[in-house]
Amino acid sequence: MEQMLHVSSNPHVRDKMTTSKIMQLVVLALLPTTLFGIYNFGVRALLVVVITVASSVFFEWIYDKLMHKKNTITDFSAVVTGLLLALNMPVSIPLWMPVLGSAFAIIVVKQLFGGLGQNFMNPALAGRCFLMISFAGKMTDFTVPAGGMSNLYDTASGATPLAAMKAGEAVDFVSLFVGNIKGTIGETSAIALLIGAALLLFMKVIDWRIPGTYIGSFAVFIALFDIFNGGFDFYHLLCEICGGGLLLGAFFMATDYVTTPITKNGQLIYGCVLGLLTGIFRMLGASAEGVSYAIIFGNLLIPLIERWTIPTAFGKGGKKA
């Protein structure tokens, strides 16, 4: 009897990488840019992060409780949503707004559509866009509060780098790359974001296809735009890539498992669509940024992209001899 085979239903190929472990690795990868944001903007940045994460976890817990569903806060997906939402907000935002954004992200976008794995768009970005549409003035107020470390730098006293470039002003790339600039809590330091991205790629949590094609197609768009408007400017290209939320969006939000194509060709197309949309929004739109709206719009195209790229099953749909 001890040598009897154990028979179970499919899937028979299993992996030790659970949803909880994946989410914990994402949180770990976001720590460099989170810690730098707290260092750069002061204690209030920490307060925004703590309130946003805590409210996201609370709304997940209370929804499960009221709907008599299994408690899902242990999978860390609510923590990731709250952390990403916090990193996409300015440090000066009123503290009740992160709570409202968390409620919209967790309850409306995630839970009402079936919970983790069934949301049709990235919950954190949906929460940010909801706040941006509802409270545009507060969401674009990058005033650094007293005590923030950015007050020590002249680069923090003006507009955000993207807004400055759109107005034709010069931008210091070193400050842009290191992060001594204005912006949302988690988007300022390119080097901190790249460290986290390297961890996700090394641990094979994400694949290169989406962030690679996203950044690559965006770079091609900016290069062509510059060529048609006076000549190619490599310095401007680097500043556009490292400025704003492009790196945060490309590595940490565009790669969300739920809202990305499952096919490899679909992922390449998806990345190119995001790069094109971000370039259009930044260069031709009224706002200096466009990453959030590009990813949200790209999420809505996923069913169509998968329909185009899903492989034909063997023996079905092939050409007749």
Side-chain angles (χ1 to χ4, degrees), residues 25-26 29 193-212 215 250-252 255 257:
L25 286 172
V26 173
L193 289 167
L194 290 174
I195 291 171
L199 174 63
L200 292 183
L201 289 168
F202 177 75
M203 296 300 296
K204 297 183 179 180
V205 175
I206 64 174
D207 186 81
W208 65 268
R209 288 179 179 83
I210 292 175
I215 297 172
F251 288 105
F252 294 96
T255 54
Y257 289 177

Side-chain angles (χ1 to χ4, degrees), residues 41-44 143-149 151:
F41 296 115
V43 177
R44 199 173 193 284
T143 304
V144 180
M149 294 299 293
N151 288 339

Side-chain angles (χ1 to χ4, degrees), residues 12 45 53 60 95 115 117 140 180 188 214 266 280 282 287 301 315:
H12 302 294
V53 172
E60 178 121 334
L95 297 180
T140 55
N180 301 326
T188 58
Y214 186 175
I280 292 174
R282 280 194 183 184
S287 174
L301 296 178

